[in-house]
Amino acid sequence: MATYAEMREIYDDIRSDFRYDHELNGCLNCGICTATCPSAQFYDYSPREIVQLLWTENVEQIYDAMQEKIWACAQCMTCAARCPFKNSPGGLVMIMREVSIKHGMQSAKDVLRPFGRVMLKLITTGNQLSPDMIQPDHFPDWGPNIQKVEGDLKTLRKAIPVRTLQTTDTAWEVSLKTSVEMYTIWEMTGVLSSLEAMDENLFDVIEDFIDEKREEYEEWLEEQEED
């Protein structure tokens, strides 16, 4: 359990976000947000509760809500569209999620852990999926038409007029220069530091890969200069 000082620090980070004053303008306690919220129909989640907790600066209950409730929001933003006060409970939840990641909260680690493989593939290839991953055995719920991919996939992909799509082990080819640029963006925007807070082992693997790609790019640049 966090101390009150730690919970206060988390709340202060939420409150200091530049989006906060735009997303929270007051509350009539009318309940329209919760009444129209899809997640509220199936989970112990209420957009109105989130707004009330933040509006009243209930630090301890805000911290408690960040353990589970904020992860039930589907981010559909129906609440923002319906609120007569023009609040955005979904936007506030997004801020709370980002702060929970920043502080390395266990709830964030538990929710994001299954996405580690997706992050690894995205950073190492620039793609989340590839054609050769789409196999009938992997997607039985797709029905019999999935069998069509059992043809000569490489030949089929080569028929695509866009050269970068003529591949099977990635959805499309990502150039070395583009990959290095993406790594720089992720570093500058804090994505990699957030990843380190969530999964240090995955971060180490990805960091080593990025270093290798940057060295490869530097070598390529030197070869271009020599030519």
Side-chain angles (χ1 to χ4, degrees):
M1 183 67 178
T3 65
Y4 182 83
E6 291 171 333
M7 290 187 284
R8 185 73 201 188
E9 181 182 0
I10 289 172
Y11 169 74
D12 288 342
D13 275 354
I14 296 171
R15 183 68 183 82
S16 63
D17 190 281
F18 73 94
R19 297 164 293 181
Y20 185 88
D21 288 335
H22 175 73
E23 310 288 35
L24 181 60
N25 303 299
C27 183
L28 294 172
N29 207 23
C30 63
I32 290 177
C33 56
T34 299
T36 58
C37 173
S39 294
Q41 308 304 313
F42 301 99
Y43 302 102
D44 180 20
Y45 171 71
S46 166
R48 177 174 60 176
E49 179 185 4
I50 298 298
V51 170
Q52 286 290 317
L53 292 177
L54 292 170
W55 185 249
T56 58
E57 300 186 13
N58 194 321
V59 174
E60 294 178 342
Q61 290 191 34
I62 288 171
Y63 181 82
D64 183 62
M66 293 173 73
Q67 303 309 308
E68 184 175 355
K69 291 183 179 180
I70 62 171
W71 304 104
C73 173
Q75 292 289 287
C76 67
M77 298 301 171
T78 300
C79 52
R82 298 296 181 87
C83 178
F85 241 106
K86 299 189 183 303
N87 292 319
S88 176
L92 294 169
V93 165
M94 178 56 69
I95 296 171
M96 295 170 77
R97 287 177 175 179
E98 292 175 7
V99 171
S100 70
I101 292 172
K102 174 184 175 183
H103 286 266
M105 293 178 65
Q106 188 61 45
S107 63
K109 293 180 179 180
D110 292 341
V111 169
L112 297 177
R113 186 174 294 113
F115 296 95
R117 291 178 60 189
V118 175
M119 176 65 79
L120 179 61
K121 187 168 184 64
L122 177 62
I123 289 183
T124 56
T125 69
N127 297 250
Q128 293 187 41
L129 291 171
S130 60
D132 60 5
M133 292 171 62
I134 305 176
Q135 301 297 327
D137 293 342
H138 297 169
F139 300 94
D141 56 320
W142 284 17
N145 288 335
I146 193 64
Q147 300 292 333
K148 293 180 180 178
V149 304
E150 287 189 330
D152 188 348
L153 189 58
K154 290 184 178 180
T155 300
L156 293 173
R157 294 289 289 187
K158 286 181 179 179
I160 300 175
V162 182
R163 185 190 61 78
T164 55
L165 296 178
Q166 296 175 0
T167 175
T168 59
D169 56 357
T170 58
W172 59 84
E173 292 180 357
V174 178
S175 72
L176 184 58
K177 180 176 182 292
T178 299
S179 296
V180 172
E181 289 174 347
M182 287 195 301
Y183 304 149
T184 302
I185 291 172
W186 289 330
E187 280 183 338
M188 298 298 291
T189 56
V191 171
L192 294 183
S193 60
S194 296
L195 176 61
E196 183 177 17
M198 291 294 96
D199 191 332
E200 190 172 349
N201 291 330
L202 178 60
F203 170 79
D204 290 340
V205 172
I206 289 176
E207 186 178 42
D208 289 342
F209 179 86
I210 290 175
D211 289 341
E212 291 176 5
K213 283 293 184 180
R214 281 181 166 154
E215 290 177 6
E216 186 179 340
Y217 182 59
E218 290 297 328
E219 292 174 0
W220 180 84
L221 289 176
E222 292 175 2
E223 290 175 359
Q224 297 302 307
E225 291 177 358
E226 292 174 0
D227 293 342

